[in-house]
Amino acid sequence: MQAKDATLPRRPSQAGAGASAARLPRGALDSPLHRPELFDRLQRGDHAIFRAMLREQQLFMAGDLIIRGGEQNGFVYRIRTGWALRVRGFADGRQQIVAILLPGELCGVTSIVTSRHDDAIECATPVTTNRASDADIRSLAEGEPDAALRLLFQLAESDRRLQTWLAALGRADAEERMAMFLIELRARLRRIGLAHRSFSLPLTQQQIGDHLGLTVVHVNRVLRRFRECGVLTLRNRTVVLHDPARLYGIAAPILDTFRTPDPGAHAAA
Amino acid sequence: MQAKDATLPRRPSQAGAGASAARLPRGALDSPLHRPELFDRLQRGDHAIFRAMLREQQLFMAGDLIIRGGEQNGFVYRIRTGWALRVRGFADGRQQIVAILLPGELCGVTSIVTSRHDDAIECATPVTTNRASDADIRSLAEGEPDAALRLLFQLAESDRRLQTWLAALGRADAEERMAMFLIELRARLRRIGLAHRSFSLPLTQQQIGDHLGLTVVHVNRVLRRFRECGVLTLRNRTVVLHDPARLYGIAAPILDTFRTPDPGAHAAA
DNA sequence: CGGGACGTTGACCTGGATCAAAAATTGTGG
DNA sequence: CCACAATTTTTGATCCAGGTCAACGTCCCG
C-alpha cells in the first residue's frame, strides 16, 4: 500500500496507459479553451515546476493511494505515467469518482492553502509521479509568475471539468453521461497522444459506475446497448469506437452547452 | 439586463440577503478547512484585491447576468452584496446550478487563464459587485504574493465545494441532498453573519431543483416531508430550522465523508 | 381584477436500483 | 500446466424513487 521511494523503473509499467507516455506529454497544456497567448508561459511554468520536482519520484501500484482522504498532505504531485482517480468516499461505503487524472497533470495543488483533502487520490493503474512540498511550490510560485500561472491553469481546468461533470450528473441520463464521459476522455487522451480509433480505459465497470453515478449493473446494460447499436465496444479495458458520430449524437444535447439561460428562450426559432 | 455602471445606492437592496452585509464580510476567508497560519496573508491579499477593484462598482437586478455563458469575459468580480448563481445551461433548456456565490467571494477568477466561461453567473437577488480586468488582477498577483494566495484560496474553496456537491449528485438521494444543501448553506451564511436560527433563501423551488438535480415537484414534496416531520419550514424565501439535529441526521452518511476507500473496510468493526 | 409567476397536490409512469445467480476473466500457488 | 479463489462481467426478474402530466391554489403587480 505504501509507495516505494525509488528511481523509476526502465519500463514504468506494462499497462497500455503508461507505456507510450514515458516522455512527458505537453498536450495537457493545450486545452481548447485556454488562452493561446499564454501557452508559452504555461509551458515554461510547467518546466519550472517539473524541475522543482525532479528530486522526488515515486512509483505506485494499481490500487495504492497517492493522497489519503481526510488528511493533510504536504505535497503537490505531478502524474508522469498512469491513471489516477480523485475519489470521494462516504461513511457507508458509497463512493464517487470525482475526476480522472492523466499524465502531465498536477494534483494536490490545493494543498497549498487547505489543511485537509476531502478526496483521496487512488491509482487505477501503476502510476509514476514526481512531487514537491507545498511550501516549495508556494515559494516557487512567488518567485516565478509562470509557475504560478501553471498552477492556476491546473485549478481552472479542474474547475471546468468538475463543473461540466457536475452538470451532467445533475441533469443528464445514463446514456448521455456515458457518451459524454467517453468523448471527453478520448479528447484528453488524444491531446497527450494516447488515443486513436481505440483507447485504453483501465477502469472496472464498478469504477465507471462510481464516476457516472450509476450502478455496475446499469453501466453494463448501457454498454451492451451501445455495443448492440454498433456504436462502440469495450473489451479488455479497451474502447473501440465504431461510430463516433452516433456517440456524439447521443451526447449532443449535453455537449452543446454554453447557452445562457435567458428567460425568453422558448419564443426563439 | 445590463448592469448600471453607477455608484452604489445607499441601501444596496431590500432583500434580506444583502441588507445586513453592507460592510464587507471577512468570514468568507475563515473556512474550517483552510490553513489557519495563512489567514493574515489571505486577509491582506483580499484587501489588495479589493483596493484594485474600488474603481469599478456595479449594481445588478435579480435575473441579470454578471457573466454570460460561452463568452470570454475580461473581468474578475467580487460580490459585495446579494446572491449569485453559477449556472450551466444546456441546449434543450435543462440547466444546472453548479454553485452559489455569496458576499465576499470572487468570481470569474478563471478568466485569468481561460478564453471562455462555460457557466453563466446569474443574480438571484439584486447584487452589487466590484471588478477589475483580468490583466490587472494577473499583474497584481505577480506583484503581491498575498493577492495570488487569495486567488488560489478562492479556487481551492470552489474546487472543494464543486467536488462535494458533485459527489452528492452522484451518490445521494433527494432528502440527503436537500439536507446537505441547507446545512452547508447555513454554515456559509453564518460565517458571514447572515444566518441565525432562520436564514433567507432567495431561490425559487425551481432554482433549488436546478441545484439539487431534481424537479420542482419533487423539491416541493421533500420540503413538505421535512415540514411534516417538524424538521424545518420554508416560507417566504425564509428557512426556519426547527430541529437541526434531525437535519444533520438525515445528511449524516453524506457529510461524514473523508473515509478513504480501502478494500478491507467491510471487515472492520 | 386579470394575467403571470410561483407553490402545491394527486395520479400515474419509467429509468435505473436492487436482488440473485451465472458466466467469464484474472490471479496464485503448486 | 492445472485447480481454486477472487474479482469482474453479464443477464434476468422485480421494485421504487423520482419524473411526468395535469390541475388548482396563491400571491403579486400593473
Side-chain angles (χ1 to χ4, degrees):
Chain A
M1 279 294 166
Q2 247 345 42
K4 292 175 222 150
D5 283 315
T7 49
L8 292 173
R10 325 94 229 122
R11 285 190 306 147
S13 97
Q14 290 86 318
S20 46
R23 300 274 62 191
L24 293 171
R26 277 290 112 65
L29 299 178
D30 198 15
S31 152
L33 297 179
H34 95 298
R35 301 190 170 206
E37 73 269 26
L38 293 177
F39 183 76
D40 289 340
R41 293 190 55 190
L42 284 173
Q43 197 154 13
R44 277 195 299 273
D46 195 56
H47 278 303
I49 289 173
F50 182 55
R51 274 196 309 273
M53 289 181 165
L54 268 181
R55 233 175 268 164
E56 293 222 55
Q57 307 195 340
Q58 293 177 294
L59 167 62
F60 298 90
M61 293 295 101
D64 286 357
L65 297 178
I66 300 179
I67 297 180
R68 281 163 192 280
E71 298 180 8
Q72 179 152 18
N73 180 289
F75 295 90
V76 176
Y77 296 80
R78 188 191 150 110
I79 311 281
R80 245 174 110 90
T81 60
W83 291 47
L85 311 173
R86 286 181 68 182
V87 182
R88 181 95 181 211
F90 295 115
D92 58 6
R94 282 178 277 183
Q95 62 181 53
Q96 173 71 33
I97 293 174
V98 147
I100 293 174
L101 300 170
L102 297 179
E105 298 195 69
L106 303 178
C107 74
V109 178
T110 59
S111 290
I112 297 172
V113 290
T114 64
S115 64
R116 181 169 68 192
H117 283 271
D118 285 352
D119 50 346
I121 308 286
E122 185 183 339
C123 300
T125 66
V127 168
T128 55
T129 63
N130 298 99
R131 72 174 191 184
S133 77
D134 61 284
D136 285 355
I137 293 293
R138 206 184 306 147
S139 62
L140 173 65
E142 288 173 9
E144 301 209 33
D146 290 350
L149 209 62
R150 172 68 184 88
L151 295 175
L152 217 114
F153 175 80
Q154 186 67 46
L155 290 172
E157 261 298 293
S158 165
D159 183 274
R160 200 165 52 74
R161 280 186 213 147
L162 285 177
Q163 183 201 314
T164 301
W165 195 241
L166 190 156
L169 289 182
R171 289 308 189 197
D173 68 24
E175 294 200 352
E176 288 169 333
R177 288 183 214 172
M178 180 69 81
M180 180 168 189
F181 168 61
L182 294 174
I183 288 170
E184 300 256 292
L185 201 53
R186 188 173 75 136
R188 287 173 60 194
L189 288 168
R190 261 196 171 148
R191 256 179 269 137
I192 57 175
L194 292 178
H196 314 280
R197 230 198 49 180
S198 68
F199 57 93
S200 109
L201 178 58
L203 304 178
T204 65
Q205 293 187 9
Q206 176 63 60
Q207 287 172 317
I208 296 175
D210 283 343
H211 187 45
L212 304 199
L214 302 170
T215 57
V216 214
V217 179
H218 205 243
V219 165
N220 191 290
R221 283 197 250 264
V222 171
L223 287 173
R224 169 161 50 140
R225 253 178 277 158
F226 281 6
R227 191 189 331 127
E228 286 174 351
C229 295
V231 174
L232 58 82
T233 323
L234 171 54
R235 198 187 300 288
N236 271 344
R237 316 267 141 121
T238 302
V239 177
V240 183
L241 261 187
H242 300 303
D243 189 347
R246 190 83 149 285
L247 193 64
Y248 275 82
I250 293 167
I254 299 299
L255 286 176
D256 190 13
T257 171
F258 351 108
R259 206 75 54 256
T260 68
D262 74 326
H266 44 282
Chain B
M1 280 296 167
Q2 245 348 43
K4 292 176 220 148
D5 283 315
T7 49
L8 294 173
R10 322 98 229 120
R11 286 188 306 145
S13 96
Q14 291 87 321
S20 46
R23 299 276 64 190
L24 292 171
R26 277 291 114 64
L29 299 178
D30 198 14
S31 153
L33 297 179
H34 94 298
R35 302 191 169 206
E37 72 270 24
L38 293 177
F39 183 76
D40 289 340
R41 293 189 56 189
L42 284 172
Q43 196 155 14
R44 278 196 297 274
D46 195 57
H47 279 302
I49 289 172
F50 182 55
R51 275 197 307 276
M53 289 181 165
L54 268 180
R55 236 177 263 163
E56 292 221 56
Q57 308 197 337
Q58 294 178 294
L59 168 62
F60 297 91
M61 293 294 103
D64 286 357
L65 296 178
I66 299 178
I67 297 179
R68 282 163 192 281
E71 298 181 5
Q72 178 152 22
N73 179 289
F75 295 91
V76 176
Y77 297 81
R78 188 192 149 108
I79 310 281
R80 244 173 110 89
T81 61
W83 291 48
L85 311 172
R86 286 182 69 182
V87 182
R88 181 94 181 211
F90 295 115
D92 57 7
R94 282 178 277 184
Q95 60 180 55
Q96 174 69 32
I97 293 175
V98 146
I100 293 175
L101 300 169
L102 298 178
E105 297 194 71
L106 303 177
C107 74
V109 178
T110 58
S111 290
I112 297 171
V113 290
T114 64
S115 63
R116 180 168 70 191
H117 283 271
D118 285 352
D119 51 345
I121 309 285
E122 184 182 340
C123 300
T125 65
V127 168
T128 55
T129 63
N130 298 99
R131 71 175 192 186
S133 78
D134 61 285
D136 285 354
I137 293 293
R138 207 184 306 146
S139 62
L140 173 65
E142 288 172 10
E144 302 208 32
D146 292 350
L149 209 61
R150 172 68 182 92
L151 294 175
L152 217 113
F153 175 80
Q154 185 69 46
L155 290 172
E157 260 298 292
S158 165
D159 183 274
R160 202 164 50 75
R161 280 186 211 148
L162 285 176
Q163 183 202 314
T164 302
W165 194 239
L166 190 155
L169 289 181
R171 288 308 186 197
D173 69 22
E175 294 200 352
E176 288 168 333
R177 287 183 214 172
M178 180 69 83
M180 179 168 191
F181 168 59
L182 294 174
I183 287 170
E184 299 257 291
L185 201 52
R186 189 173 76 136
R188 287 173 61 195
L189 288 168
R190 262 195 169 151
R191 256 179 269 138
I192 56 175
L194 292 178
H196 314 280
R197 232 199 47 182
S198 68
F199 56 92
S200 111
L201 178 59
L203 304 177
T204 65
Q205 293 189 4
Q206 175 63 60
Q207 287 172 317
I208 296 173
D210 283 343
H211 187 44
L212 303 199
L214 302 170
T215 56
V216 214
V217 179
H218 204 243
V219 166
N220 192 291
R221 283 198 253 261
V222 171
L223 287 174
R224 169 161 50 138
R225 252 178 278 159
F226 281 5
R227 192 189 329 127
E228 287 173 352
C229 298
V231 174
L232 58 82
T233 323
L234 171 54
R235 199 187 297 290
N236 270 343
R237 316 268 140 122
T238 302
V239 176
V240 183
L241 262 188
H242 300 304
D243 190 347
R246 189 81 150 284
L247 193 64
Y248 276 83
I250 293 168
I254 299 300
L255 286 176
D256 190 12
T257 171
F258 351 108
R259 205 74 54 259
T260 69
D262 75 326
H266 44 283

